[in-house]
């Protein structure tokens, strides 16, 4: 099995897109999870359902929503391009957005469960010991929720690696520009290039198995 | 320590999918350093303790401690928990599982995000030594026995320099032998640091061991407040059966209600 320069380029782009998407999903997911675990507010259940939607909607539907939002004639697309010069359609940045959206609920769900599992008496004790809310968060809540957040983040990364449908809709399948591993596999199979398909499938499998093994380690109960 | 509590609050609780409203009107005062709040489960003693610590906000009333007003609805005063200078020892001790014994005990001394100072570490080690657990400084809470965990929780509360320590049924999770031992330890620690405490319990032995002032709770109100130390000083140990009978009355009333 030999990796060509093009294969390496695809692997690097895939890693770049999924790592960035995972980072965004982690920051957004953990922050919102904390808010949901901590506060009751009007529309909480509806918002929860909307945030979980990417887990159940077909990726193509998500991609279509993203086009409606960020496309050249979309709701936000022209504004983004005028003010920030950001173009999301047919760019790798668009692929990052798509992967972030599909990966987000995985972080959100497990981080929320992790924050909700932190015993109230722990946080209250920290307050009686003089901690401000920011201290309570960084010294008690976050450390105690870390395992759950890390596990969700690893799953999110695996999901982002394998993202196909939504990415195809918004970023397209442009070799050398927006083509990720899963799309290259599709192209290789369609072109009847079995050797190449095998190589790419092997690559993506190795990365995903590694991630799942890691997340199994982090999900396992302590001791 | 002068303590004056007069609070009203109502909590919505859920029991077997049924929404219930629990209302509390607690009013008592004490000038003693050892206050025991006695009452059956669900009589409101835990809620009162949480209100004193600022973990629950009463609807109306006031809480005064020493010369300070911690809460006064009429004056619009409600100090946040972190400023109340109150040590709180939860029933399950609530030790931080991700921190060592030293870091647990010294939680209040660390000026986060900076690390613990050397002086703080020395102070913590001294305190751990007083409690006879200095050799456990690097252990984590899951490696400790129940008695050791309580010592850490108490050391942690004391290192906060509290004006009062609140103890929520501190011995309920222990076997009888350990209970006696920890009662003696708590009395010795109290005498040594001269720190006032309020302890809630439904165990008569705790009443006998600690109650200078005894406050008896009965479904959401104070049924009786007895200056036990004065009574026993005046009438001798023969006074205890009468005091215990008053305690028992709260249980009988609770049983009749259920």
């Amino acid at each position: 099995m030999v990796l060509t320069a093009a294969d390496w380029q695809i692997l690097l782009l895939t890693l770049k897109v999924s790592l960035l998407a995972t980072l965004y999903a982690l920051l957004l997911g953990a922050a919102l999870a904390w808010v949901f675990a901590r506060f009751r507010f009007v529309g909480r259940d509806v918002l929860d359902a909307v945030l979980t939607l990417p887990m159940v909607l077909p990726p193509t539907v998500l991609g279509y929503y993203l086009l409606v939002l960020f496309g050249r004639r979309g709701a936000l697309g022209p504004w983004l391009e005028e003010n920030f010069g950001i173009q999301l359609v047919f760019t790798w940045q668009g692929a990052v957005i798509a992967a972030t959206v599909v990966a987000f609920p995985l972080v959100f769900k497990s981080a929320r469960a992790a924050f909700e599992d932190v015993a109230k008496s722990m946080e209250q004790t920290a307050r009686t010991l003089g901690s401000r809310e920011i201290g309570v968060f960084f010294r008690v809540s976050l450390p105690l929720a870390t395992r759950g957040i890390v596990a969700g983040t690893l799953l999110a990364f695996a999901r982002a690696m394998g993202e196909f449908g939504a990415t195809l809709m918004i970023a397209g399948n442009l070799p050398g520009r927006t083509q990720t591993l899963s799309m290259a596999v599709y192209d290789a199979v369609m072109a009847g290039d079995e050797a190449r398909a095998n190589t790419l499938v092997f690559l993506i499998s190795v990365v995903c198995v590694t991630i799942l093994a890691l997340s199994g380690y982090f999900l396992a109960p302590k001791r | 320590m002068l303590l004056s509590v007069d609070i009203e609050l109502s909590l919505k609780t859920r029991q077997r999918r049924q929404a219930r409203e629990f209302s509390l009107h607690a009013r008592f005062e004490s000038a003693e350093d050892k206050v025991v709040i006695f009452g059956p489960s669900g009589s409101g003693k835990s809620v009162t303790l949480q209100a004193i610590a600022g973990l629950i906000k009463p609807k109306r009333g006031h809480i005064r401690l020493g010369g300070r007003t911690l809460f006064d609805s009429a004056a619009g005063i409600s100090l946040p928990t972190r400023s109340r200078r109150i040590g709180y020892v939860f029933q399950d001790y609530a030790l931080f599982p991700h921190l060592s014994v030293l870091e647990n005990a010294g939680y209040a001394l660390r000026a986060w995000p900076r690390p613990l100072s050397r002086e703080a570490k020395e102070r913590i080690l001294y305190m751990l030594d007083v409690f006879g657990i200095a050799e456990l400084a690097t252990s984590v809470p899951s490696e400790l026995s129940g008695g050791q965990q309580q010592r850490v929780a108490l050391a942690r509360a004391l290192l906060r320099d509290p004006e009062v320590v609140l103890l929520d049924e501190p011995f309920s999770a222990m076997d009888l032998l350990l209970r006696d031992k920890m009662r003696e330890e708590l009395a010795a620690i109290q005498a040594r640091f001269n720190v006032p405490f309020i302890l809630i319990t439904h165990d008569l032995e705790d009443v006998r061991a600690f109650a200078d002032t005894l406050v008896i709770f009965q479904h959401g109100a104070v049924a009786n407040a007895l200056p036990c130390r004065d009574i026993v000083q005046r009438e001798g140990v023969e006074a205890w059966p009468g005091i215990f009978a008053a305690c028992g009355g709260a249980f009988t009333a609770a049983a009749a209600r259920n």
Side-chain angles (χ1 to χ4, degrees):
Chain A
M1 192 184 82
V2 183
L3 290 179
T4 64
D7 293 343
W8 278 114
Q9 191 273 331
I10 293 172
L11 178 63
L12 284 179
L13 178 72
T14 309
L15 287 174
K16 177 166 86 173
V17 167
S18 33
L19 279 172
L20 272 174
T22 308
L23 179 70
Y24 295 148
L26 168 63
L27 294 177
L28 272 174
L32 282 168
W34 181 77
V35 170
F36 271 75
R38 190 65 193 282
F39 302 102
R40 328 250 130 212
F41 47 86
V42 182
R44 187 167 173 264
D45 293 340
V46 176
L47 193 57
D48 184 30
V50 171
L51 292 174
T52 314
L53 221 47
M55 238 159 126
V56 288
L57 278 180
T60 45
V61 174
L62 283 178
Y64 184 73
Y65 276 135
L66 289 175
L67 272 181
V68 169
L69 265 180
F70 298 116
R72 290 218 166 79
R73 286 188 211 133
L76 290 173
W79 181 79
L80 275 179
E81 186 159 10
E82 245 172 65
N83 291 290
F84 303 97
I86 298 173
Q87 246 277 38
L88 293 176
V89 180
F90 292 126
T91 62
W92 68 270
Q93 287 92 340
V96 172
I97 299 291
T100 303
V101 169
V102 295
F104 168 84
L106 293 162
V107 181
F108 176 65
K109 285 276 159 193
S110 61
R112 185 176 164 185
F115 280 126
E116 278 168 354
D117 270 355
V118 176
K120 256 198 140 34
S121 60
M122 299 279 169
E123 295 171 336
Q124 292 184 328
T125 298
R127 284 184 200 112
T128 65
L129 293 169
S131 260
R132 293 176 171 279
E133 289 310 305
I134 186 162
V136 175
F137 178 78
F138 281 107
R139 296 178 72 184
V140 179
S141 317
L142 188 61
L144 291 179
T146 298
R147 286 171 69 86
I149 295 172
V150 169
T153 305
L154 288 168
L155 287 177
F157 182 62
R159 179 69 185 79
M161 282 282 296
E163 169 46 28
F164 185 85
T167 312
L168 190 66
M169 294 286 282
I170 190 161
N173 180 6
L174 308 175
R177 283 182 54 204
T178 66
Q179 189 178 57
T180 57
L181 267 174
S182 48
M183 289 180 204
V185 170
Y186 180 78
D187 275 5
V189 173
M190 284 296 115
D193 189 348
E194 266 183 44
R196 181 133 199 278
N198 285 341
T199 308
L200 295 170
V201 164
F202 178 74
L203 261 184
I204 203 163
S205 303
V206 166
V207 176
C208 285
V209 165
T210 310
I211 294 163
L212 285 177
L214 277 174
S215 80
Y217 170 78
F218 279 105
L219 277 168
K222 251 184 189 173
R223 259 174 282 267
Chain B
M1 173 201 60
L2 276 167
L3 170 73
S4 164
V5 174
D6 183 357
I7 50 170
E8 273 177 65
L9 62 85
S10 62
L11 291 176
K12 286 188 179 66
T13 56
R14 278 188 167 275
Q15 240 176 24
R16 291 183 222 104
R17 295 175 143 226
Q18 263 192 317
R20 275 188 166 196
E21 194 158 297
F22 172 79
S23 63
L24 171 90
H25 184 186
R27 189 175 170 179
F28 61 92
E29 285 179 5
S30 169
E32 299 286 353
D33 278 352
K34 287 182 278 181
V35 178
V36 171
I37 298 179
F38 179 91
S41 322
S43 58
K45 48 192 196 310
S46 232
V47 175
T48 304
L49 212 63
Q50 289 172 35
I52 295 173
L55 302 173
I56 291 179
K57 197 173 167 183
K59 205 160 55 185
R60 257 191 301 280
H62 72 254
I63 299 165
R64 294 197 186 94
L65 180 71
R68 296 191 307 153
T69 298
L70 303 182
F71 175 81
D72 191 332
S73 59
I77 296 171
S78 180
L79 287 187
T81 300
R82 65 168 188 277
S83 320
R84 291 196 178 196
R85 292 194 54 198
I86 275 172
Y88 202 118
V89 179
F90 280 87
Q91 201 169 353
D92 62 356
Y93 316 127
L95 296 181
F96 305 122
H98 59 299
L99 300 179
S100 69
V101 165
L102 182 101
E103 289 164 330
N104 260 286
Y107 186 95
L109 297 184
R110 186 176 159 197
W112 184 85
R114 275 176 291 162
L116 274 170
S117 67
R118 186 147 23 108
E119 300 81 62
K121 266 186 200 156
E122 272 166 26
R123 228 186 117 193
I124 300 162
L125 282 170
Y126 173 77
M127 183 65 88
L128 293 179
D129 197 42
V130 169
F131 279 87
I133 48 173
E135 74 281 4
L136 297 172
T138 54
S139 306
V140 290
S142 59
E143 297 165 351
L144 307 183
S145 71
Q148 289 167 338
Q149 290 190 24
Q150 184 168 69
R151 290 187 190 105
V152 177
L154 200 53
R156 179 175 67 179
L158 289 173
L159 280 166
R160 193 235 180 297
D161 291 323
E163 283 181 24
V164 62
V165 176
L166 311 180
L167 300 138
D168 188 350
E169 305 199 12
F171 313 114
S172 62
M174 298 175 179
D175 61 57
L176 285 173
L177 276 176
L178 185 59
R179 255 182 228 191
D180 283 341
K181 185 165 181 268
M182 294 307 291
R183 266 193 206 105
E184 278 171 32
E185 265 194 45
L186 180 60
I189 289 292
Q190 198 277 330
R192 171 165 185 162
F193 290 94
N194 201 22
V195 60
F197 67 66
I198 305 172
L199 180 152
I200 66 180
T201 185
H202 46 235
D203 186 337
L204 290 174
E205 282 306 313
D206 293 337
V207 174
R208 192 204 296 272
F210 298 114
D212 285 351
T213 298
L214 171 66
V215 183
I216 302 172
F217 271 59
Q218 199 175 302
H219 39 79
V222 175
N224 216 337
L226 301 170
C228 290
R229 200 172 62 111
D230 293 349
I231 296 175
V232 173
Q233 236 166 27
R234 211 167 47 228
E235 301 173 20
V237 289
E238 294 86 57
W240 283 117
I243 294 168
F244 288 167
C247 294
F251 268 96
T252 321
R257 209 174 135 91
N258 294 332

